[in-house]
Amino acid sequence: MPVEIPTFKLNNGAELPVIGLGTYARKADPGQFRKAVEDGIDAGYRHIDTAACYKNEEVVGEAINNKIKQGVVRREDLFVTTKLWNDRHGEKDVIPSLKESLARLNLEYVDLYLIHWPMSVDSDGKDMKLDFVETWRAMEKAVDAGLTRSIGVSNFNEEQLTRLLQQAKVKPVVNQVEINPTLTQHKLVDFCKQQGIQPVAYTPFGLISDARPEFAGKDVIKTDPKLGALADKYGKTRAQIALKYLIQRGIVVIPKTFTPSRMVENADLFHFQLSDEEMAVVESYNIDHRCVPGLPFKNMMNYPFTELL
Ligand code: NDP
């Protein structure tokens, strides 16, 4: 039986499932992406996260359309997110870029279109120094044109969001940023919530994930017995405790896995509740460490991060 994943209501009334399937992988063949999305939908995932820069929209769309044809889901049951890449921030480029994504996905609309990063960078890697407020004007037009149901941002800091909110006609529904037990982001999460912007956590496992061997030594969370004992108490894994911690903070999570058993595991979070003391145990692993610091953009005008570990 597919799991039932609850939703959070966004500021425009849309319902966003609190667990989505991340689809980014540095190295994977198209068949792996297709199978992951098909397996995810079979397991009960209704929220799928992709991006133009993941170069997998075609196969993600194939998987979605296969599952619609098979009668497993209807289009309206799904919440599909894709993202505008940094080289298409020019006001005249946004709608064409979204139309290209829709053509690759073979969908008539997406549920959410995000500005992937606040910086604009041309295809040679040069800072274009465009104002994201101008980009946002075109994002708003994409809603009017029916190409996307909602619009939002990703990797925006508080100052950038404040400026955007002062100028926007349509408020961003989400800010998708890295949040996990090793980067808890309380200040930004609180700000987003105060403004009615839903925080969405990418890289939700942080340093728990084996996908991050480059940070060996900082990954005490993988072996620390306190977290192990907490996971054992509920018959869960460390990974599940990390996701549960985020959801209990009112944050949407988009874990990526190609492993069907982990898809089920990552969505099996709704029959237990962490106490305040247990939430504090998870918090204690925070070291403000960014797994995704966006270093190639570090010296650019709208680079969003100041603190880097
Ligand atoms: P995650 O924190 O989701 O970690 C993914 C890794 O964790 C994979 O190696 C996966 O392995 C492993 N994993 C998954 N489930 C479990 C589990 N239950 N137990 C142990 N290991 C597990 O990192 P991502 O960086 O992929 O982030 C998730 C998604 O967020 C991306 O796929 C993408 O959609 C989005 N994202 C957005 C960004 C942005 O700038 N907006 C930046 C980065 C990510 P396996 O697949 O082998 O099971």
Side-chain angles (χ1 to χ4, degrees):
M1 277 292 282
V3 288
E4 290 247 341
I5 297 174
T7 59
F8 286 156
K9 200 186 269 303
L10 303 178
N11 66 33
N12 64 356
E15 299 281 347
L16 178 64
V18 301
I19 307 170
L21 188 69
T23 66
Y24 174 72
R26 227 175 282 177
K27 282 190 200 143
D29 63 53
Q32 279 178 293
F33 288 118
R34 190 186 307 107
K35 184 171 180 314
V37 175
E38 290 182 348
D39 288 343
I41 292 174
D42 285 339
Y45 287 76
R46 298 293 176 261
H47 167 190
I48 315 285
D49 183 81
T50 182
C53 86
Y54 301 169
K55 309 270 185 233
N56 64 7
E57 288 173 310
E58 270 176 33
V59 279
V60 167
E62 254 179 63
I64 289 171
N65 283 303
N66 287 344
K67 287 295 149 189
I68 293 172
K69 271 189 223 126
Q70 290 167 17
V72 178
V73 279
R74 299 166 303 171
R75 173 66 187 89
E76 57 270 33
D77 300 327
L78 294 173
F79 194 105
V80 180
T81 301
T82 194
K83 313 186 190 89
L84 175 78
W85 189 237
N86 307 339
D87 59 354
R88 307 298 294 277
H89 277 213
E91 212 175 334
K92 66 174 187 353
D93 290 333
V94 174
I95 286 188
S97 181
L98 176 50
K99 284 184 174 168
E100 288 160 27
S101 283
L102 290 173
R104 286 189 291 267
L105 286 160
N106 193 16
L107 296 176
E108 283 176 13
Y109 67 92
V110 285
D111 297 275
L112 177 60
Y113 198 43
L114 300 179
I115 300 183
H116 204 145
W117 288 87
M119 317 81 44
S120 51
V121 187
D122 74 13
S123 48
D124 296 325
K126 193 169 145 274
D127 189 358
M128 292 162 81
K129 302 191 180 182
L130 298 179
D131 183 351
F132 52 76
V133 172
E134 300 304 314
T135 313
W136 192 252
R137 299 267 170 261
M139 298 285 285
E140 292 174 329
K141 288 185 189 138
V143 179
D144 293 339
L147 302 170
T148 182
R149 297 273 158 98
S150 305
I151 48 177
V153 295
S154 175
N155 294 304
F156 273 50
N157 65 28
E158 185 174 328
E159 195 187 317
Q160 291 166 332
L161 281 174
T162 303
R163 213 179 127 245
L164 186 62
L165 287 167
Q166 283 162 356
Q167 314 256 354
K169 283 200 272 265
V170 178
K171 209 176 184 178
V173 292
V174 311
N175 187 20
Q176 184 183 118
V177 288
E178 180 178 344
I179 318 171
N180 51 53
T182 37
L183 180 68
T184 52
Q185 298 258 41
H186 276 280
K187 194 163 170 290
L188 183 59
V189 167
D190 290 349
F191 177 78
C192 287
K193 287 191 182 172
Q194 278 158 17
Q195 300 299 328
I197 298 170
Q198 174 62 50
V200 175
Y202 74 66
T203 315
F205 300 123
L207 295 179
I208 289 183
S209 164
D210 288 332
R212 307 280 170 201
E214 65 269 37
F215 303 121
K218 291 190 172 169
D219 50 2
V220 59
I221 186 168
K222 265 193 209 163
T223 50
D224 192 64
K226 270 200 309 274
L227 188 63
L230 181 50
D232 289 348
K233 173 177 167 189
Y234 292 106
K236 301 288 172 197
T237 61
R238 287 168 192 259
Q240 285 173 305
I241 300 292
L243 297 177
K244 182 70 181 183
Y245 156 80
L246 292 167
I247 293 171
Q248 271 189 221
R249 284 180 57 199
I251 297 167
V252 169
V253 296
I254 48 169
K256 172 263 169 187
T257 178
F258 284 170
T259 315
S261 60
R262 285 177 170 175
M263 288 174 193
V264 175
E265 179 185 326
N266 294 345
D268 178 17
L269 304 173
F270 300 107
H271 305 289
F272 71 109
Q273 195 72 8
L274 298 173
S275 67
D276 291 347
E277 293 75 28
E278 291 166 343
M279 290 289 280
V281 168
V282 185
E283 291 276 331
S284 71
Y285 298 101
N286 182 41
I287 50 167
D288 292 333
H289 174 88
R290 282 185 195 282
C291 292
V292 185
L295 288 180
F297 312 126
K298 193 169 181 287
N299 296 317
M300 296 189 179
M301 186 173 88
N302 287 321
Y303 180 71
F305 310 138
T306 47
E307 76 295 351
L308 282 175
L309 276 176

Short mmCIF file of all heavy atoms in Angstrom, two decimals, residues 11 23 40 109 179-180 205 257 291:
data_model
loop_
_atom_site.label_atom_id
_atom_site.label_comp_id
_atom_site.label_asym_id
_atom_site.label_seq_id
_atom_site.Cartn_x
_atom_site.Cartn_y
_atom_site.Cartn_z
N ASN A 11 1.03 29.82 0.95
CA ASN A 11 0.34 31.12 1.11
C ASN A 11 -0.65 31.43 -0.02
O ASN A 11 -1.40 32.40 0.06
CB ASN A 11 1.34 32.26 1.34
CG ASN A 11 2.23 32.50 0.12
OD1 ASN A 11 1.80 32.33 -1.03
ND2 ASN A 11 3.48 32.89 0.36
N THR A 23 15.61 14.59 -6.78
CA THR A 23 16.06 13.81 -7.96
C THR A 23 17.45 14.20 -8.44
O THR A 23 17.84 13.81 -9.53
CB THR A 23 15.09 13.97 -9.15
OG1 THR A 23 15.13 15.33 -9.60
CG2 THR A 23 13.67 13.58 -8.78
N GLY A 40 9.07 5.96 -6.73
CA GLY A 40 8.61 6.94 -5.74
C GLY A 40 7.10 7.11 -5.81
O GLY A 40 6.42 7.11 -4.78
N TYR A 109 1.87 22.18 -17.32
CA TYR A 109 2.22 23.17 -16.28
C TYR A 109 3.03 22.46 -15.20
O TYR A 109 3.00 21.23 -15.09
CB TYR A 109 0.94 23.77 -15.65
CG TYR A 109 0.13 22.77 -14.85
CD1 TYR A 109 0.32 22.60 -13.48
CD2 TYR A 109 -0.82 21.95 -15.46
CE1 TYR A 109 -0.40 21.66 -12.75
CE2 TYR A 109 -1.54 21.00 -14.74
CZ TYR A 109 -1.32 20.87 -13.38
OH TYR A 109 -2.02 19.93 -12.66
N ILE A 179 18.74 22.62 4.87
CA ILE A 179 18.45 22.58 6.32
C ILE A 179 18.55 21.11 6.74
O ILE A 179 18.02 20.23 6.06
CB ILE A 179 17.02 23.07 6.68
CG1 ILE A 179 16.60 24.31 5.89
CG2 ILE A 179 16.91 23.33 8.19
CD1 ILE A 179 15.13 24.70 6.05
N ASN A 180 19.23 20.86 7.83
CA ASN A 180 19.40 19.49 8.31
C ASN A 180 19.97 19.57 9.74
O ASN A 180 20.23 20.68 10.22
CB ASN A 180 20.31 18.70 7.34
CG ASN A 180 21.60 19.44 7.04
OD1 ASN A 180 22.30 19.83 7.95
ND2 ASN A 180 21.88 19.67 5.75
N PHE A 205 19.55 15.25 5.01
CA PHE A 205 20.33 14.40 5.91
C PHE A 205 21.63 15.08 6.35
O PHE A 205 22.25 14.65 7.32
CB PHE A 205 20.68 13.06 5.24
CG PHE A 205 19.47 12.28 4.84
CD1 PHE A 205 19.27 11.89 3.52
CD2 PHE A 205 18.51 11.94 5.78
CE1 PHE A 205 18.16 11.18 3.15
CE2 PHE A 205 17.38 11.23 5.41
CZ PHE A 205 17.20 10.84 4.10
N THR A 257 16.57 9.53 -2.92
CA THR A 257 17.09 8.17 -2.90
C THR A 257 16.67 7.45 -4.17
O THR A 257 15.59 7.70 -4.71
CB THR A 257 16.65 7.38 -1.65
OG1 THR A 257 17.19 6.06 -1.76
CG2 THR A 257 15.15 7.30 -1.49
N CYS A 291 26.71 21.63 3.27
CA CYS A 291 27.12 20.62 2.30
C CYS A 291 27.11 21.22 0.89
O CYS A 291 27.81 20.73 0.01
CB CYS A 291 26.15 19.43 2.34
SG CYS A 291 26.25 18.48 3.86
#
